[in-house]
Structures are given as C-alpha cells and as structure tokens.
Amino acid sequence: MTEASDHTDMINETRGGFNEALGLRFTRVTSDEVVAEVPVGPHLLQPYGLVHGGVLASMVETLCSVGAAIDAMARGKTTVGLENSTSFLRATRSGRLLGRATPVHRGRRTQVWGVEIRDDAGELVATGRVRMMVLDEGAALAGKTVGMQTG
C-alpha cells in the first residue's frame, strides 16, 4: 500500500451504523487526507433548527479516526481515539457539511489529526482535533481484539 493509495470505496463499503445514520459519505480517503460530506436534514438539527454540535464532533471523530487507521494499517497497526476537541464557529441550518482531515503529527505511539468543516458556501463551520493511540496488531480493548467490525 502506497501513501497515495485511495481507500474511498473500501471505507464507504464498510461505513455502516452511525455513519449511515448521519448520512456521512467519504469522497476521498488516503493516508494523508480524508474528505467526507454530510447532507443536513431535519434529523440532524437541534431544537433551535441548527445543526447539532454532536454532528460536527462526530464528523471530526470519524474523519480523524479513518485517517489515522489507514496510516496505521500500512504498518500492521490499529488506532483508537484518546481525545476529541471540536470548536463550533458558525451556525448552519441546511445544505451539506464538507469535512477535510489531515495529519498534524504521526508518531510511533500517537497520531494527531485536524479537521476543518465547511458549509456549501465554503464558510468554516467547525474545526477539531483528535489524538489517537497506535496499537500493535492483536491488541485488545474491553475484552475484544481491536479490528474492523462489520454487520
């Protein structure tokens, strides 16, 4: 696997559960960049009619996690999140959200990825960072080996 390898189709095929509920679809997935979009619908709004902050934090978590996992996978490792920091900058009510994650730091035991989320007009809606722990292959958390769960 080269750094320029595009994993978009594979990631979309296995996205399942929560990402499907959000309507999140990946448009580019490499070890250097993860891009995804979420169409805003009524199910993603809070009582004031604005996109719920949890949607934005979830996008940050998802994009960073996928980027770190793709990078680690090339070395026979896996990753799990340690910390998510999301800042809400601009309210939005409709359209779509476009998130782009890139690596900030890729170390032997941790990675940090950053995200910008923009609206249809290109306005910055939120930013975030996730710190990930890099695990050796076969590592277990909560009684099970860490790995892709499908179905």
Side-chain angles (χ1 to χ4, degrees), residues 14-93:
T14 59
R15 68 189 175 102
F18 190 67
N19 290 332
E20 283 188 18
L22 283 177
L24 188 143
R25 175 145 304 275
F26 296 93
T27 59
R28 179 167 169 76
V29 178
T30 71
S31 60
D32 290 321
E33 177 184 51
V34 177
V35 181
E37 60 185 27
V38 171
V40 176
H43 65 293
L44 300 181
L45 305 179
Q46 43 92 308
Y48 295 150
L50 305 171
V51 171
H52 192 286
V55 173
L56 301 168
S58 296
M59 286 182 71
V60 168
E61 177 78 23
T62 300
L63 273 64
C64 291
S65 295
V66 167
I70 291 295
D71 180 73
M73 186 172 58
R75 297 177 280 129
K77 310 269 186 188
T78 59
T79 59
V80 294
L82 293 173
E83 179 179 27
N84 177 334
S85 173
T86 303
S87 296
F88 312 124
L89 305 173
R90 179 183 204 87
T92 189
R93 296 176 182 272

